[in-house]
Amino acid sequence: EAQVTQNPRYLITVTGKKLTVTCSQNMNHEYMSWYRQDPGLGLRQIYYSMNVEVTDKGDVPEGYKVSRKEKRNFPLILESPSPNQTSLYFCASSWGDRNIQYFGAGTRLSVL
Amino acid sequence: DAKTTQPPSMDCAEGRAANLPCNHSTISGNEYVYWYRQIHSQGPQYIIHGLKNNETNEMASLIITEDRKSSTLILPHATLRDTAVYYCIVRANFNKFYFGSGTKLNVKP
């Protein structure tokens, strides 16, 4: 089944403790992206990747890192999480000019 | 500044057409308009997209004004399962996506 898989689905952590949210897709898509969703603000793009070893900033990249060492994986890294990064995070992947994105089920992160 | 503006909520009677507006007055010539919907807090699902011309698929129609400053998503026969938050999105520079704050569509029996 074609899917985008995020782990973990729920995470509670404390300020300053490094964490990684994984994202994996099995559709051989070139394009992958991370978003955060906060109440009343819709989704905001954090980082995206056009292909392996090619990443670029979205609208709200501060406090986040990403890497794309393999085509199927695009982890989101929070080196020193802060409470303002408490949010619902989505990973998405797509391919081709139409760039129709398939989204994962989301990761709900709470930073205390 | 937000690239898209949407009303926060709309109601629609079951079986009737739902017309969801979006304002994107600062859109550039090569920027596409996409529509996605989100049910509860699940991952958003693609509905339709377009550049200049009106588009139709099995789910919906997209009407883009001639000056491209606004668009309307039309669900021709809304059902209760269409109750969701609908996002109007501008795709800029081919790779960046700017979501609006969404319209909560309530389909009522």
Side-chain angles (χ1 to χ4, degrees), chain B residues 22-89:
Chain B
C22 179
N23 184 298
H24 32 79
S25 58
T26 61
I27 197 169
S28 298
N30 62 351
E31 295 178 343
Y32 284 75
V33 177
Y34 286 67
W35 284 83
Y36 280 69
R37 73 180 184 185
Q38 184 179 33
I39 298 172
H40 299 302
S41 294
Q42 298 173 17
Q45 299 171 306
Y46 169 80
I47 301 173
I48 199 166
H49 76 287
L51 181 62
K52 297 179 188 176
N53 301 321
N54 298 337
E55 302 287 344
T56 295
N57 62 21
E58 64 278 3
M59 288 184 69
S61 295
L62 173 60
I63 308 298
I64 302 174
T65 57
E66 195 167 337
D67 63 8
R68 302 208 327 118
K69 293 185 177 182
S70 66
S71 61
T72 301
L73 176 74
I74 301 172
L75 307 178
H77 306 287
T79 70
L80 297 178
R81 287 190 290 184
D82 291 324
T83 292
V85 178
Y86 288 77
Y87 291 102
C88 173
I89 301 149

Side-chain angles (χ1 to χ4, degrees), chain A residues 31 35 37 40 42-43 45 48 50 57-59 88 90 97-101 103-105 108, chain B residues 32 34 36 38 41-46 49 87 91 93-102:
Chain A
Y31 183 93
Y35 297 86
Q37 184 173 27
L43 278 75
Q45 194 171 31
Y48 64 90
M50 291 298 295
K57 296 177 181 178
D59 214 22
L88 178 58
F90 288 102
D97 292 341
R98 298 177 75 208
N99 210 332
I100 296 170
Q101 294 182 81
F103 282 81
R108 194 170 290 279
Chain B
Y32 284 75
Y34 286 67
Y36 280 69
Q38 184 179 33
S41 294
Q42 298 173 17
Q45 299 171 306
Y46 169 80
H49 76 287
Y87 291 102
R91 175 188 167 191
N93 301 324
F94 294 103
N95 304 316
K96 290 190 172 183
F97 288 82
Y98 296 92
F99 281 65
S101 53

